[in-house]
Amino acid sequence: MVKARAIGALMLAMAVIPATGCTDDAGAVPKITSTARPGVAPTPPAQGAYFGATVAAPGDPSARQRDRAAELVRLEEALGRKADIAHTYRSWAQPFPQAADLKMLDGTRFLLVSWSGGDTREIAAGRHDALIRDRARAIKATGKPIFLRWEREMDRPGLRAKVHSPADYIAAWKHLREVFRGQGVHNVAWVWCPTAAGSGAAGAYYPGDDQVDWICTGAFPGVEHDYRDLADSLLKFLDWAEERPKPIMIGEFGVPRAYRERRAEWLRSAAQTLQNPRIKAVVYYNSDAGSRDDPRRQYTVTGDPTATAALRELATSPYFNPRSLPVDSG
């Protein structure tokens, strides 16, 4: 009975979202569109937003030794429910999905893969087609809905040596999609994810509405602020993204340990900000990979009962549980 309910809820959540506004009205929200195949690739819920989590990230020296699937389960137990989305990071040449990815993908979770990019000009020229075909076939073989976020934050100056220019990035994006299409991969939703602060300029890197399924960003308060709400971090991004007819994903967000007793306040304020009708997925960054010594870059709620309770409130609220997954009331 429980299994049947979960499967039914999963299929309902993967249905195409209806129009969210009337195009005849001035200032109406554009209809949300997608190239993802309903019932096969992840599509947005009709109401509310998926909740997900990151439990290990690049820069974490112990990430390879840790059982990330078990760590995700421990976080889920603390939050009182299973996550809709399990997030993993993979480098350009690193095979995936790996065994750890498949364990996190087990059951009703979607897998979000943040795939670092190779050189865009080499990709567009076809020099990495064998590698891309391998990844495409491996994703197809899972038979599960997967979010694929290639070369996130492509607008960062530090990536310019391999991204080159907006035109090069877009050519590489389109080539990747063409190779995946050639392998008959339909269980992928393509997630385009610039920085939050640079979203205005990042628009030049946008491959087009016919090439993107979800628009995404990661948002952290930043070390230059003693305290900063999530709403302030997302302001520029949302101003740009809400003009596009795409569902929005917040691919990373987190409250720094440096906020101490104000962490719960921050999370409750974030829950209000994230209840934007265009935001259809949120992923909490439960990692301290940014710095082992600087609490301004540490975001785990583990070991902080007050922050854990506030994140639990967010995760178990009906808005962020659109598939009505079971909630542990304890």
Side-chain angles (χ1 to χ4, degrees):
M1 178 71 176
V2 173
K3 182 177 180 181
R5 179 185 173 194
I7 292 173
L10 175 61
M11 296 309 296
L12 177 63
M14 290 163 58
V16 177
I17 186 168
T20 56
C22 176
T23 55
D24 292 335
D25 296 333
V29 177
K31 179 180 178 180
I32 292 177
T33 62
S34 176
T35 66
R37 181 173 293 186
V40 180
T43 51
Q47 301 293 331
Y50 300 132
F51 173 81
T54 301
V55 294
D60 185 342
S62 63
R64 291 186 179 181
Q65 287 71 44
R66 286 154 47 190
D67 185 337
R68 285 176 290 151
E71 190 165 344
L72 176 60
V73 168
R74 285 192 292 273
L75 177 63
E76 290 173 332
E77 290 172 347
L79 298 181
R81 57 158 291 191
K82 284 190 174 181
D84 295 295
I85 300 171
H87 183 198
T88 189
Y89 298 85
R90 296 298 174 202
S91 66
W92 174 245
Q94 191 175 24
F96 67 83
Q98 297 188 0
D101 303 330
L102 295 174
K103 286 176 69 176
M104 292 194 293
L105 184 58
D106 187 41
T108 59
R109 299 188 195 101
F110 301 127
L111 184 67
L112 167 61
V113 180
S114 289
W115 187 17
S116 295
D119 186 284
T120 59
R121 292 173 180 172
E122 293 179 1
I123 292 170
R127 291 177 57 182
H128 298 281
D129 282 4
L131 181 152
I132 299 166
R133 285 194 294 268
D134 285 346
R135 302 298 176 270
R137 287 193 289 261
I139 287 175
K140 181 180 179 180
T142 68
K144 298 289 188 72
I146 292 177
F147 292 101
L148 186 59
R149 186 172 70 152
W150 177 70
E151 195 63 292
R152 71 190 190 281
E153 300 183 345
M154 78 301 294
D155 54 315
R156 281 197 294 120
L159 295 181
R160 196 160 296 149
K162 63 175 180 174
V163 170
H164 299 296
S165 71
D168 291 313
Y169 174 84
I170 291 170
W173 177 284
K174 290 182 176 179
H175 186 78
L176 280 167
R177 289 207 59 168
E178 189 59 34
V179 174
F180 269 64
R181 189 177 297 112
Q183 297 302 309
V185 181
H186 301 297
N187 58 320
V188 164
W190 292 83
V191 182
W192 180 78
C193 200
T195 62
S199 296
Y205 294 84
Y206 187 61
D209 293 341
D210 62 333
Q211 294 287 326
V212 172
D213 296 315
W214 291 68
I215 291 176
C216 163
T217 199
F220 299 97
V223 299
E224 67 273 19
H225 303 277
D226 292 331
Y227 184 91
R228 188 188 192 201
D229 283 329
L230 181 64
D232 294 330
S233 302
L234 287 175
L235 184 60
K236 289 183 179 180
F237 170 77
L238 291 178
D239 281 348
W240 183 87
E242 288 190 353
E243 296 299 317
R244 305 253 49 88
K246 298 295 175 181
I248 294 171
M249 172 187 290
I250 307 304
E252 292 116 340
F253 77 101
V255 58
R257 286 187 177 272
Y259 286 9
R260 304 181 190 278
E261 67 276 1
R262 298 192 70 184
R263 297 185 85 195
E265 172 191 341
W266 189 95
L267 284 164
R268 292 187 178 108
S269 175
Q272 296 301 312
T273 297
L274 295 171
Q275 290 183 49
N276 177 316
R278 296 297 305 280
I279 295 176
K280 292 297 178 180
V282 301
V283 182
Y284 189 79
Y285 185 83
N286 197 59
S287 175
D288 293 341
S291 175
R292 287 295 180 182
D293 304 313
D294 187 350
R296 297 173 301 174
R297 294 183 173 91
Q298 297 172 349
Y299 305 99
T300 57
V301 296
T302 308
D304 184 337
T306 305
T308 299
L311 185 58
R312 181 187 176 108
E313 288 175 19
L314 185 157
T316 58
S317 69
Y319 191 91
F320 296 105
N321 189 11
R323 298 189 290 167
S324 299
L325 297 179
V327 172
D328 179 4
S329 60

